[in-house]
Amino acid sequence: MDRMFLEISNVSKTFPGVKALQNVHFDIYPGEVHALVGENGAGKSTLIKILSGVYQPDEGALIKIDGKETVINNAIDAIKKGISVIYQDFSLFKNLTVAENIGINGMIEQDKKIVDWKAINKKAKDALDFLKADIDLSSIVENLSVAKQQMVAIASAVAEDAKMIIMDEPTSALSKQEVLHLYDIIDSLKAKGIAIMFVSHKMDELFKVADRFTVLRDGQYVKTVKKTEVCENQLISMMVGRKVEIKQYANLEKKGEVILKLENLSKKGNFKNINLEVKAGEVVGLTGLVGAGRSELAQAVFGISKPDSGKIYVSGKEVHIKNPAEALKVGISYIPESRQTQGLVLDKTVENNIILPRIKQYTNKMGIVVKRRQREEVQKWIYILDVRPNNPNMLASQLSGGNQQKVVIAKWLSTNTKIIIIDEPTNGVDIGAKAEIHQIIRKAAADGCAVLVISSELPEILSVSDRILVMRKGRISGEYENHEITQEMIMEKAVI
């Protein structure tokens, strides 16, 4: 191999009361895909923020770029040194054009009073051409699909002559075809000599793209191995330090009464004539391709949007839900796909997030919050769901993805809901937390809830569901009891 692009050693990071990283080392070569793996809370996000200049490491850390010792002072400094990060939300300026987003870092660096739009457009076009991405330079970014927004983020890194691109959960919102296109782009970046630090919880894609793995556990370096030296089970064992088993939970025994019933529910452009039932004690899985209308259906049931026609019944009684507050009153809760933008108030504590839907229940006649009662309830849910760290005063933003998801689930389970709709329950969650969340879902059903799980991951749908519904182009295209069915059978109904 050529000389390393990046080499770090003795990298630690301490926050008040928490040692997020301890003596971590990592290296990456030009043209290499090096996967950084570990459970949520292992320290991956902290390391990314150090390499991108958002955080400064503790004293004693050594960072070398192209063999020279350096300090990464801030995000712009990281870009100047050749390191670009593509976060899960892409961190784009949604109200600006494609060309402006690709050229904005250059504008900031040059600090010129007059903008050379011709040069910016050429720079943007060259970067998109390299990626073979056909995107109009004048398009406003918020109007683009998720996949095209990702292309813009990658093009921005290419345009700034990045030597290393950090991809954080890059496939979390992509369809299967879009993921395959991303793999092609990664091959092109490798051929150009660009190093890629790849962060993902999906084992299949890790073994598809990575040349080497570096494993972190509890903030500490575990091992670096070549892909050819390790199998999936061995890698998981290194990540979690224990055996993890994703169980098949299907329970085909007779369930209770129908709790949620949709009758010919329709919303133009989203879904049409949806008929489904979920019984007490049942987990129904709803799957299909991205854009099939699954999330839109869930949002209509929860009152976020209004269906054009059709009926919703709860325990046999027709309900007319105009907003989420009314949905909650009739016993419906909705755990959205994006925990960070829709499920949590990130700058509030774990305690504040968990009690948010029921804050009035913890106030006395004078409207004053009774803190003791509130804390007791929060501590109960932290214990039940094993939220780590078990500190109710921690900000939600400081938790790992898996623990953030547990807080969102706790928030809604604590309302004593009888219908739970959970959209992509383990998106961006490590395999250990995934198994725990599956157990939580099954426990809710065992306690008598009717649970509707929406997921793009077929292994997850097959693992957690009693019955499976498939959506295609806004309609239910297939229904299966979870018994002797395969991913191929489900995909056939999703595609054809």
Side-chain angles (χ1 to χ4, degrees), residues 338-346 353 396 404 407-408 411:
S338 174
R339 55 183 169 267
Q340 293 200 338
T341 60
Q342 298 172 305
L344 293 170
V345 183
L346 291 172
N353 273 279
Q404 285 180 347
V407 171
V408 179
K411 179 173 79 171

Side-chain angles (χ1 to χ4, degrees), residues 164-182:
M164 181 175 98
I165 299 176
I166 302 173
M167 294 186 176
D168 186 10
E169 297 289 349
T171 66
S172 59
L174 301 184
S175 69
K176 187 174 182 179
Q177 202 59 41
E178 290 164 347
V179 170
L180 293 176
H181 185 215
L182 178 64

Side-chain angles (χ1 to χ4, degrees), residues 43-86:
K44 302 186 302 296
S45 295
T46 302
L47 182 56
I48 290 172
K49 288 176 180 176
I50 287 172
L51 295 178
S52 60
V54 176
Y55 293 159
Q56 292 301 310
D58 295 347
E59 190 175 350
L62 179 65
I63 300 176
K64 291 183 178 180
I65 292 178
D66 285 330
K68 296 178 182 178
E69 187 175 339
T70 189
V71 174
I72 303 172
N73 295 300
N74 51 51
I76 291 296
D77 191 33
I79 292 170
K80 287 180 178 178
K81 289 180 165 73
I83 300 173
S84 290
V85 184
I86 300 170

Side-chain angles (χ1 to χ4, degrees), residues 270-333:
N270 292 282
F271 51 86
K272 188 171 183 179
N273 295 335
I274 299 297
N275 293 281
L276 67 80
E277 295 180 350
V278 188
K279 297 176 181 177
E282 183 180 34
V283 179
V284 173
L286 182 62
T287 191
L289 301 179
V290 173
R294 303 163 306 165
S295 296
E296 292 80 3
L297 176 65
Q299 290 163 10
V301 174
F302 192 59
I304 295 173
S305 62
K306 185 179 178 182
D308 299 327
S309 59
K311 297 179 179 180
I312 302 173
Y313 297 88
V314 174
S315 297
K317 182 180 178 181
E318 186 179 356
V319 295
H320 302 278
I321 301 168
K322 296 177 183 177
N323 53 56
E326 291 186 1
L328 192 57
K329 282 181 182 177
V330 299
I332 301 174
S333 65

Side-chain angles (χ1 to χ4, degrees), residues 406-431:
K406 289 179 184 179
V407 171
V408 179
I409 293 171
K411 179 173 79 171
W412 292 110
L413 288 183
S414 69
T415 63
N416 297 316
T417 182
K418 53 187 176 180
I419 299 166
I420 302 172
I421 303 172
I422 181 165
D423 195 351
E424 301 291 357
T426 60
N427 185 24
V429 167
D430 67 72
I431 194 161

Side-chain angles (χ1 to χ4, degrees), residues 106-117 120:
M107 294 186 223
I108 294 170
E109 285 179 40
Q110 294 170 18
D111 195 25
K112 291 183 178 179
K113 294 182 179 179
I114 299 175
V115 177
D116 187 346
W117 290 109
I120 284 173

